[in-house]
Amino acid sequence: METRFLRFETTLQRAVAVKGVGLHSGVPVNLRITPAPAGTGIVFRRSDLNFFPIPASWKHVARVSYATSLMRQGVLISTTEHLLSTLYSFAIDNAYIEIDNLEVPILDGSGKPFVDLLRSAGVRQLRKQRNICRSSVR
């Protein structure tokens, strides 16, 4: 990816969806990733709970044993690591992740299905510059 492209926030070109089963819970789950406006960040939205939002932030990390789980006001999203690492690798800053159960589907156990999903969605540059942390250590 070009350096100039990384100066601005990004989102998806279009919404994408996938169905699967939660690894630890065994429950069926539908997941949809949609574009979000600049400054939104990555936000999980539990569609089974009136789209209750849980931002993907260190503030909401509930546990990391066997799966990275996020929790806000008692509402849980589990096994987020493959999806979140794939969004990071695509430099996606803003997206809504609609999910109708408590766990991201495991799919084939790797990040590859999410890579394929994001490739099909495409990346769109937004007009807001990224906030970049710079170290003063050289």
Side-chain angles (χ1 to χ4, degrees):
M1 203 175 290
E2 294 179 44
T3 304
R4 71 175 177 81
F5 187 72
L6 295 176
R7 290 181 45 217
F8 293 91
E9 289 190 8
T10 61
T11 191
L12 304 178
Q13 289 266 9
R14 66 193 134 282
V16 289
V18 68
K19 296 178 184 184
V21 175
L23 173 66
H24 303 287
S25 62
V27 297
V29 59
N30 295 293
L31 183 136
R32 186 170 180 256
I33 309 170
T34 65
T40 300
I42 305 298
V43 179
F44 286 89
R45 299 173 70 202
R46 287 282 302 265
S47 59
D48 60 325
L49 299 173
N50 295 318
F51 294 92
F52 184 85
I54 304 173
S57 165
W58 63 269
K59 295 175 189 176
H60 300 295
V61 173
R63 51 184 184 240
V64 291
S65 179
Y66 300 107
T68 302
S69 299
L70 304 171
M71 185 183 293
R72 183 171 159 257
Q73 297 177 0
V75 177
L76 181 71
I77 302 281
S78 189
T79 320
T80 62
E81 59 274 9
H82 294 162
L83 175 54
L84 289 176
S85 63
T86 304
L87 288 165
Y88 179 80
S89 71
F90 273 73
I92 302 294
D93 300 296
N94 304 287
Y96 292 119
I97 303 167
E98 298 170 2
I99 184 168
D100 69 354
N101 221 313
L102 63 103
E103 190 173 16
V104 173
I106 194 60
L107 306 175
D108 75 353
S110 76
K112 186 175 182 323
F114 294 117
V115 167
D116 296 340
L117 202 61
L118 293 179
R119 279 188 179 142
S120 72
V123 178
R124 180 168 54 104
Q125 183 174 307
L126 301 170
R127 293 184 177 194
K128 182 178 180 187
Q129 284 200 346
R130 276 197 172 128
N131 289 328
I132 300 171
C133 295
R134 297 186 193 273
S135 172
S136 60
V137 178
R138 295 191 190 249

